[in-house]
């Protein structure tokens, strides 16, 4: 009997303990207290408010309270904060759109009433109630947390009860949907306004840029015509198109410094006449052979002949292209014959040319190679002089006869040889360097662009003397030039400015992952 009574007492106490725990959990269900500052009675108050009053309203809304130092993500949407996983907080029906959660964020000094989108039209004005927030927050600052929780709970209930009785949830949902639509419309209007402003600014900038370029172009055009250098004969010519010429001036204005000076304007006019107008004009003359037309255009690349031609063309009212081309053909035949005479004497002149004084003694065994290279380069230069109409110029402009030109043949050959000498000696010595370091040849010929190659060659030739520079010295200079150019290319590719370095002796030419510009 005693044993039975004992078990009855144990069971009763256990039931009582479970009951109390359940009530405590229920009290805890609607409140999250990170600060551990609320009395148990406050938990019970919020719980009873939900179970006795909120539950009796249409839609069974629930109220939650959270006191926290901080909360992320910020915002008023209820689902954001429900998903934030408060330790002791939950709704009985967390999917109910009528639920409301009040969040005290102490670190930010903020009071937020979180809600679902469906009841936005009802809760939004509550979040804008400045007087209420000041009153509640004053209690928080005074550390009267219980009073603040009870006050806001009663405030929410009063407003929910009034809204449900006056409108009902259906009307609240409808108003919220309309409010969201209006917000979306305003956002789209704002976005469209921004797009309109951006497009307007873009169009305005393009227009300003266009009119500015037009202004500069017209200003440059006025500069050109202010010098009054355009020949009347050119303006009257049927082949001349004023509109095309003005367009050409516009496209070339930067090259000729906007025609601010008469010198630049004259340069521009001559260039247009020779390279744009004249080919069109020549095409009209069927009596002139095509090869003679090409000869004329090639000869006009010679500055002296070009000036002579322009002067006579614009000074003579009845300038004859046919007569001028016949004169050019005769002068070109003389130039060709003179070029052949130079070449016929070149081999003998180079064979008799002494190189001992031009070379270090240890290079004398390579004199045949130097002379062979000298012959090659000198021959190319003689052909180049003929192509550039230098010999034609002497006959046509200097008034020298063919016999008079032949009298000066030896001096001409000597001048060309001396002009080619340094290049020939340098080329042979550089090939000797390549024999010692084949990698240098591969890098110089394959890795560098035309601009970088020209810089490297310039660095190699500076200070070079055939009778003073040894092969090993040139090899050292080549190493320095290659390392420096590789550094420049590497820094250029990385968008950095190269800092001049002088410690090349301690460094080697890059062989792996070589910086290239070609």
């Amino acid at each position: 009997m005693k044993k039975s009574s004992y078990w009855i007492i144990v069971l009763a106490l256990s039931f009582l303990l479970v009951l109390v725990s359940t009530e405590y959990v229920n009290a805890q269900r609607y409140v999250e207290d990170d600060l551990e500052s609320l009395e148990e009675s406050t938990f019970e108050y919020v719980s009873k408010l939900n179970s006795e009053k909120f539950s009796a309203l249409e839609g069974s809304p629930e109220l939650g309270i959270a006191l926290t130092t901080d909360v992320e993500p910020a915002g008023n949407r209820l689902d954001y904060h429900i998903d934030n996983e408060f330790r002791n907080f939950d709704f009985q029906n967390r999917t109910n759109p009528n639920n409301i959660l009040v969040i005290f964020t102490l670190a930010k000094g903020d009071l937020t009433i979180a809600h679902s989108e469906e009841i936005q039209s009802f809760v939004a004005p509550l979040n804008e109630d400045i007087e209420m927030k000041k009153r509640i927050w004053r209690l928080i600052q005074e550390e009267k947390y219980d009073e603040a929780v009870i006050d806001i709970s009663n405030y929410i209930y009063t407003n929910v009860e009034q809204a449900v009785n006056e409108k009902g949830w259906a009307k609240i949902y409808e108003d919220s949907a309309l409010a969201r639509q209006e917000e979306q419309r305003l956002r789209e209007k704002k976005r469209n306004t921004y797009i309109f402003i951006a497009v307007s600014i873009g169009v305005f900038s393009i227009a300003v840029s266009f009119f500015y370029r037009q202004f500069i172009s017209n200003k440059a055009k006025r500069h050109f015509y202010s010098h009054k250098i355009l020949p009347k004969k050119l303006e009257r010519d049927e082949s001349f198109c004023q509109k095309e010429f003005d367009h050409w001036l516009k496209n070339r204005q930067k090259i000729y410094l906007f025609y601010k000076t008469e010198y630049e304007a004259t340069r521009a006019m001559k260039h247009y006449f020779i390279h744009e107008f004249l080919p069109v004009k020549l095409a009209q003359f069927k009596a002139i052979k095509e090869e003679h037309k090409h000869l004329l255009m090639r000869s006009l690349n010679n500055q002296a002949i070009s000036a002579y031609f322009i002067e006579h063309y614009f000074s003579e009212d009845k300038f004859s292209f046919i007569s001028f081309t016949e004169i050019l053909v005769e002068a070109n035949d003389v130039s060709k014959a003179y070029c052949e005479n130079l070449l016929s004497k070149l081999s003998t002149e180079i064979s008799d040319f002494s190189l001992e004084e031009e070379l270090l003694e240890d290079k004398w065994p390579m004199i045949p190679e130097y002379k062979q290279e000298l012959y090659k380069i000198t021959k190319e230069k003689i052909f180049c002089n003929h192509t550039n109409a230098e010999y034609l110029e002497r006959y046509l402009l200097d008034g020298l006869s063919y016999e008079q030109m032949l009298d000066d043949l030896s001096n001409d050959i000597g001048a060309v040889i001396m002009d080619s000498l340094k290049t020939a000696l340098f080329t042979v010595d550089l090939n000797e360097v390549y024999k010692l370091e084949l990698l240098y040849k591969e890098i110089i010929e394959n890795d560098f662009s035309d601009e970088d190659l020209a810089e490297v060659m310039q660095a190699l030739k500076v200070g070079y003397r055939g009778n003073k520079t040894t092969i090993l010295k040139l090899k050292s200079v080549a190493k320095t030039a290659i390392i420096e150019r590789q550094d420049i290319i590497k820094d250029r590719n990385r968008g950095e400015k190269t800092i001049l370095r002088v410690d090349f002796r301690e460094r080697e030419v890059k062989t792996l992952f070589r910086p290239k510009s070609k």
Side-chain angles (χ1 to χ4, degrees):
M1 183 68 182
K2 289 183 178 180
K3 188 174 182 180
S4 300
S5 299
Y6 172 77
W7 282 110
I8 292 173
I9 293 172
V10 169
L11 290 173
L13 290 174
S14 300
F15 177 76
L16 182 61
L17 181 61
V18 170
L19 183 62
V20 171
S21 299
T22 302
E23 290 180 355
Y24 180 73
V25 169
N26 287 336
Q28 287 284 85
R29 183 187 304 275
Y30 296 105
V31 180
E32 165 68 14
D33 182 16
D34 281 353
L35 306 179
E36 299 181 356
S37 58
L38 297 177
E39 298 290 339
E40 184 178 343
S41 59
T42 303
F43 288 92
E44 294 175 356
Y45 184 86
V46 176
S47 181
K48 288 182 178 180
L49 190 65
N50 275 288
S51 61
E52 296 177 3
K53 292 189 176 182
F54 277 103
S55 63
L57 297 176
E58 176 192 350
S60 301
E62 296 178 79
L63 170 66
I65 305 289
L67 273 76
T68 182
T69 54
D70 203 354
V71 62
E72 289 294 341
N76 296 329
R77 285 184 53 179
L78 181 63
D79 53 337
Y80 286 173
H81 298 286
I82 295 299
D83 293 339
N84 205 39
E85 299 180 358
F86 293 105
R87 290 188 301 275
N88 300 315
F89 174 83
D90 199 3
F91 289 119
Q92 289 186 3
N93 181 11
R94 64 164 56 188
T95 60
N96 188 348
N98 305 330
N99 294 342
I100 295 175
L101 175 63
V102 178
I103 304 172
F104 293 89
T105 309
L106 302 185
K108 297 181 179 179
D110 184 42
L111 168 62
T112 301
I113 304 175
H115 56 86
S116 64
E117 290 184 344
E118 286 85 345
I119 61 173
Q120 175 184 347
S121 63
F122 159 61
V123 180
L126 304 185
N127 267 316
E128 297 173 0
D129 190 341
I130 304 300
E131 292 300 323
M132 176 273 294
K133 289 190 174 183
K134 286 183 178 179
R135 183 181 73 251
I136 300 298
W137 202 252
R138 190 180 301 114
L139 295 173
I140 294 294
Q141 290 175 332
E142 295 173 358
E143 298 186 356
K144 298 178 179 180
Y145 301 110
D146 296 283
E147 293 183 29
V149 170
I150 293 173
D151 191 333
I152 191 64
S153 300
N154 291 334
Y155 173 82
I156 296 297
Y157 174 75
T158 301
N159 282 276
V160 170
E161 182 185 31
Q162 181 180 352
V164 170
N165 291 335
E166 292 179 358
K167 294 185 175 181
W169 291 117
K171 178 61 174 174
I172 293 174
Y173 294 164
E174 181 182 347
D175 292 345
S176 298
L178 293 175
R180 289 197 301 275
Q181 292 176 6
E182 179 64 15
E183 287 181 0
Q184 180 66 21
R185 187 187 67 81
L186 293 175
R187 281 196 298 269
E188 290 181 358
K189 181 179 179 180
K190 188 176 182 180
R191 181 176 62 84
N192 293 336
T193 301
Y194 287 150
I195 293 174
F196 174 77
I197 293 174
V199 170
S200 299
I201 292 174
V203 172
F204 178 76
S205 301
I206 293 173
V208 169
S209 176
F210 172 78
F211 285 114
Y212 175 76
R213 289 197 299 269
Q214 287 293 106
F215 172 77
I216 295 297
S217 177
N218 292 334
K219 188 176 181 181
K221 180 180 174 181
R222 290 195 299 272
H223 281 153
F224 177 86
Y225 286 107
S226 67
H227 300 301
K228 299 179 180 180
I229 60 170
L230 193 64
K232 297 296 183 182
K233 183 177 180 179
L234 182 63
E235 291 184 281
R236 292 193 300 267
D237 198 299
E238 295 179 356
S239 302
F240 177 75
C241 178
Q242 184 70 54
K243 185 176 180 180
E244 290 181 1
F245 179 63
D246 289 342
H247 183 70
W248 185 89
L249 288 176
K250 177 181 177 181
N251 291 337
R252 301 298 193 284
Q253 58 188 6
K254 291 185 179 179
I255 299 176
Y256 298 101
L257 305 179
F258 300 95
Y259 318 111
K260 291 182 179 180
T261 64
E262 184 175 347
Y263 171 76
E264 293 296 339
T266 303
R267 281 183 61 229
M269 187 275 294
K270 289 181 177 180
H271 184 93
Y272 176 81
F273 174 74
I274 296 295
H275 299 284
E276 303 293 335
F277 173 80
L278 198 56
V280 176
K281 188 70 176 178
L282 284 175
Q284 301 173 1
F285 294 91
K286 306 298 182 182
I288 302 177
K289 296 180 180 180
E290 288 299 320
E291 59 183 290
H292 294 167
K293 292 178 182 179
H294 291 312
L295 172 62
L296 173 59
M297 296 306 300
R298 176 170 61 81
S299 301
L300 291 179
N301 289 326
N302 181 292
Q303 188 173 357
I305 295 177
S306 174
Y308 173 84
F309 174 80
I310 290 174
E311 179 184 357
H312 281 268
Y313 177 82
F314 289 119
S315 62
E316 299 176 12
D317 290 336
K318 296 183 178 180
F319 180 86
S320 173
F321 277 101
I322 297 177
S323 299
F324 189 81
T325 52
E326 289 176 350
I327 294 173
L328 274 183
V329 169
E330 179 186 348
N332 187 63
D333 290 339
V334 172
S335 174
K336 186 185 298 184
Y338 185 69
C339 178
E340 291 173 354
N341 271 280
L342 287 173
L343 294 175
S344 67
K345 303 288 185 180
L346 180 61
S347 179
T348 302
E349 290 287 338
I350 290 181
S351 295
D352 296 339
F353 189 79
S354 176
L355 284 177
E356 280 77 2
E357 294 183 0
E358 305 295 337
L359 297 169
L360 291 171
E361 189 173 348
D362 61 353
K363 296 180 182 179
W364 287 359
M366 294 191 300
I367 284 179
E369 286 87 344
Y370 287 114
K371 288 193 173 184
Q372 184 178 359
E373 187 66 28
L374 180 59
Y375 176 82
K376 175 185 174 183
I377 294 176
T378 307
K379 181 179 179 181
E380 291 175 355
K381 188 163 185 62
I382 290 173
F383 274 122
C384 184
N385 290 342
H386 168 65
T387 303
N388 293 336
E390 291 188 18
Y391 304 137
L392 189 153
E393 176 189 340
R394 293 187 197 175
Y395 180 81
L396 182 65
L397 303 186
D398 296 347
L400 297 177
S401 65
Y402 180 58
E403 290 75 14
Q404 289 174 319
M405 292 174 66
L406 289 178
D407 290 340
D408 206 29
L409 187 71
S410 296
N411 292 334
D412 268 355
I413 293 179
V416 177
I417 289 174
M418 292 305 298
D419 193 34
S420 308
L421 181 60
K422 182 178 179 179
T423 301
L425 301 182
F426 171 79
T427 302
V428 174
D429 284 355
L430 185 60
N431 285 330
E432 291 299 310
V433 171
Y434 289 161
K435 292 177 183 178
L436 297 175
E437 288 288 351
L438 185 60
L439 177 64
Y440 291 2
K441 176 180 175 67
E442 181 183 344
I443 292 175
I444 289 175
E445 293 183 353
N446 298 321
D447 289 5
F448 299 144
S449 64
D450 293 342
E451 294 79 6
D452 287 322
L453 179 60
E455 292 292 335
V456 170
M457 287 301 171
Q458 179 65 21
L460 293 177
K461 290 180 180 179
V462 171
Y464 171 82
R465 297 289 184 275
N467 56 3
K468 292 184 179 181
T469 306
T470 65
I471 302 298
L472 292 178
K473 175 61 178 177
L474 184 60
K475 175 176 173 288
S476 175
V477 174
K479 174 183 176 181
T480 299
I482 292 172
I483 292 174
E484 184 181 35
R485 187 52 43 179
Q486 285 181 333
D487 283 346
I488 291 173
I489 294 171
K490 180 184 66 175
D491 293 340
R492 183 198 302 153
N493 292 340
R494 295 188 305 189
E496 298 177 359
K497 186 176 181 180
T498 301
I499 299 175
L500 181 62
R501 300 186 61 169
V502 295
D503 57 335
F504 298 112
R505 292 181 181 177
E506 305 300 327
R507 302 165 61 201
E508 295 298 330
V509 172
K510 295 178 178 63
T511 58
L512 296 176
F513 305 107
R514 303 198 307 254
K516 299 181 181 182
S517 59
K518 190 172 183 179

